[in-house]
Amino acid sequence: TGGVGNQAREGGLIIPWEAALVGGVHLTAMGKIDFRRNDGDNGYDSVWSTSVALQRAVTQAIGLYAETKFGKSTSGAPWDGIVGGGVTLALSKNTSWDYALYRGLTPGSSDWQHVLRLNWGF
């Protein structure tokens, strides 16, 4: 009744991968496919995406990373691609702040994106 959601079942599959490199650098990658209800409400579109990141701790509490993401929907929307970097601040073992600045690479992405996240694990 609040106009939130589309009353459809949606889902996806994520395949993550991580490797430790020399010098304390970590390489992470992820492939993902989502199945979403289409705008015409008469079927589903698949959204394929991938991301790759390099991360390194600077101190025990501060880390830096660089990341790129690409995605494509079967809906006919243009490719979406971004590249950027960020800094993390660990408050505890399971809680951290994360600020990133991304630059769009394709016509289907925003020119610039600022992201501020609070990451909380349990």
Side-chain angles (χ1 to χ4, degrees):
T1 62
V4 177
N6 60 10
Q7 308 305 314
R9 294 190 188 268
E10 298 177 321
L13 175 66
I14 298 172
I15 300 173
W17 181 77
E18 181 176 353
L21 305 177
V22 296
V25 176
H26 290 270
L27 171 67
T28 59
M30 179 178 70
K32 181 172 90 163
I33 182 170
D34 292 317
F35 301 99
R36 298 181 185 162
R37 191 71 176 165
N38 65 15
D39 291 338
D41 200 23
N42 60 3
Y44 287 83
D45 292 327
S46 57
V47 180
W48 297 82
S49 60
T50 185
S51 65
V52 177
L54 291 171
Q55 306 164 343
R56 185 175 192 297
V58 177
T59 68
Q60 191 172 2
I62 298 173
L64 299 173
Y65 65 91
E67 180 177 28
T68 186
K69 298 178 187 179
F70 288 94
K72 176 68 174 140
S73 172
T74 58
S75 69
W79 281 91
D80 182 28
I82 59 173
V83 64
V87 61
T88 58
L89 174 62
L91 303 176
S92 70
K93 180 181 174 186
N94 293 319
T95 306
S96 66
W97 282 101
D98 173 1
Y99 171 76
L101 177 62
Y102 296 104
R103 173 73 170 125
L105 298 175
T106 60
S109 57
S110 300
D111 287 341
W112 291 98
Q113 297 177 27
H114 298 270
V115 179
L116 179 62
R117 296 178 273 245
L118 174 63
N119 303 295
W120 176 57
F122 48 93

